[in-house]
Amino acid sequence: MSTGRSATPMGPAELVQAAAMARRFYLEGKSKIQIAEEFGVSRFKVARVLETALERDLVRIEIRVPAELDAERSDALRARYGLRHAVVVESPADAADDAPDPENLGEVAADLLGELVNEGDVLGLAWGRSTIHMAAALHRLPPCTVVQLTGVYDAGTAERGSVEAVRRAAQVSGGEAHPIYAPMLLPDSATAAALRGQTGIARAFEYFDKVTVAAVSIGSWAPGISTVYDMLSEEERAHYASLGAAAEMSAHLFDADGRRIGRDLGERCITVEADRLRRIPEVVAIAGGLRKAAAIGAVLRSGLVTSLVTDTAAADYLLLETGPGPRPALDRTDPDGA
């Protein structure tokens, strides 16, 4: 009657009993003790019958998630880097190695924020194309305050960039919005300090220590993959490259080992400080694509992020990475002291 792994066939009575017990356990949620009492057998007998039902294919257990999510890679990535959450989505079939982040990363990240943000939280959004896509895809958020964590790439694009992302998130949540109407990068530290003292920007900075969930993007130290790289002069790019710049996140630079470098750059930027970012309970990085994979690994080793939304192309690289060993992100180590 069965061609299962055991050589001894089950008789009809055994099959009927096994099917009944399996139905009670898997579909009706009854315990093994309850089933044992109903059938007048020991709970050890029930356990053996349920095990046999699995071996004989009387019961088949399937774990299903939406087709675009890769549960196996997600769990492996979470475990390898000590993340609180890792969500891996399928890369587009026709994506080239130099393709930008898949737009569906933002959609998945929007759903993740809907899970992570609670009523009364303060949500921080940093500049990045992925965070902008995420904000556009938001459709549910509990009442919360939304604050901008960085200046904008170009003040002239604020209406369709970081400022609009903050407004959109606040609109969905019904909470307050605290945007920053200032460029991310300034000519010198004195200009940046003066801007930080302006009323509106200072008010946003006051919320940085209250942020409970943050969404950030990651860039590689290369043209078109880091907005900060694109804003600098050739001489400045070469200088930070000579220091080992491998990744950029919210205007903070990291080498391949996750150590923060080029701290003088941060003095010229309107952005959340690295130490404040490290104290935020939940920092979700949104980045994917093979061209960003090494940079993602560097930022994960920095200890500044707790969760990651990425794609299969980047995940495969990160899971096979042979460089410096991953450091649990949940340790929240200080990248300046690493």
Side-chain angles (χ1 to χ4, degrees), residues 4-333:
R5 286 177 285 179
S6 174
T8 304
M10 295 179 71
E14 290 179 298
L15 285 168
V16 170
Q17 184 185 66
M21 288 184 176
R23 185 177 298 108
R24 303 291 194 280
F25 186 73
Y26 291 108
L27 299 183
E28 299 175 11
K30 292 187 176 180
S31 69
K32 293 175 183 177
I33 292 176
Q34 291 174 313
I35 297 170
E37 291 175 350
E38 178 182 348
F39 286 87
V41 298
S42 71
R43 62 185 176 88
F44 301 105
K45 167 71 172 178
V46 173
R48 286 196 298 273
V49 171
L50 292 175
E51 182 179 349
T52 301
L54 284 171
E55 290 177 349
R56 303 298 182 88
D57 286 338
L58 292 178
V59 175
R60 295 183 181 181
I61 299 175
E62 291 184 318
I63 300 173
R64 294 184 176 182
V65 296
E68 67 173 351
L69 299 183
D70 192 308
E72 185 175 350
R73 284 184 175 93
S74 297
D75 188 56
L77 201 59
R78 178 201 57 76
R80 177 171 171 79
Y81 285 91
L83 296 165
R84 185 170 291 121
H85 303 284
V87 182
V88 178
V89 305
E90 289 289 341
S91 302
D94 57 350
D97 290 352
D98 60 350
D101 296 33
E103 289 194 14
N104 60 344
L105 291 187
E107 298 170 4
V108 173
D111 289 338
L112 179 60
L113 280 194
E115 293 182 65
L116 299 180
V117 177
N118 296 307
E119 184 173 351
D121 276 351
V122 177
L123 171 63
L125 299 182
W127 159 263
R129 296 179 182 89
S130 295
T131 52
I132 291 170
H133 289 151
M134 179 207 67
L138 283 170
H139 56 83
R140 64 182 178 95
L141 272 181
C144 65
T145 299
V146 186
V147 61
Q148 193 169 322
L149 295 178
T150 64
V152 297
Y153 173 45
D154 180 351
T157 64
E159 290 303 314
R160 58 184 184 275
S162 308
V163 171
E164 180 55 31
V166 169
R167 287 176 174 167
R168 166 66 181 167
Q171 180 184 33
V172 172
S173 73
E176 295 181 2
H178 294 276
I180 293 177
Y181 296 95
M184 181 189 295
L185 180 66
L186 282 303
D188 52 64
S189 58
T191 305
L195 274 178
R196 292 189 200 103
Q198 290 188 358
T199 303
I201 298 175
R203 186 178 298 116
F205 267 64
E206 289 173 359
Y207 276 91
F208 286 0
D209 287 329
K210 303 174 185 178
V211 173
T212 50
V213 180
V216 300
S217 295
I218 296 172
S220 299
W221 197 240
I225 319 179
S226 164
T227 52
V228 172
Y229 180 99
D230 292 340
M231 286 188 283
L232 295 174
S233 68
E234 286 290 345
E235 183 179 356
E236 290 170 322
R237 295 168 186 169
H239 167 66
Y240 293 118
S242 71
L243 298 179
E248 177 264 319
M249 179 180 68
S250 302
H252 300 296
L253 306 184
F254 306 88
D255 67 12
D257 294 336
R259 290 186 291 260
R260 198 160 73 93
I261 62 171
R263 288 187 284 276
D264 60 310
L265 178 64
E267 296 173 1
R268 296 170 49 195
C269 293
I270 303 296
T271 185
V272 59
E273 300 94 326
D275 193 53
R276 277 176 157 174
L277 194 61
R278 183 169 56 88
R279 293 197 299 267
I280 296 174
E282 183 73 80
V283 179
V284 181
I286 311 162
L290 193 57
R291 68 178 189 168
K292 285 189 178 182
I296 295 169
V299 171
L300 291 182
R301 281 186 286 273
S302 77
L304 290 180
V305 303
T306 59
S307 298
L308 174 68
V309 178
T310 190
D311 68 343
T312 51
D316 285 344
Y317 176 94
L318 293 168
L319 291 171
L320 295 174
E321 199 173 26
T322 57
R327 188 168 58 204
L330 293 182
D331 284 353
R332 311 309 297 280
T333 50

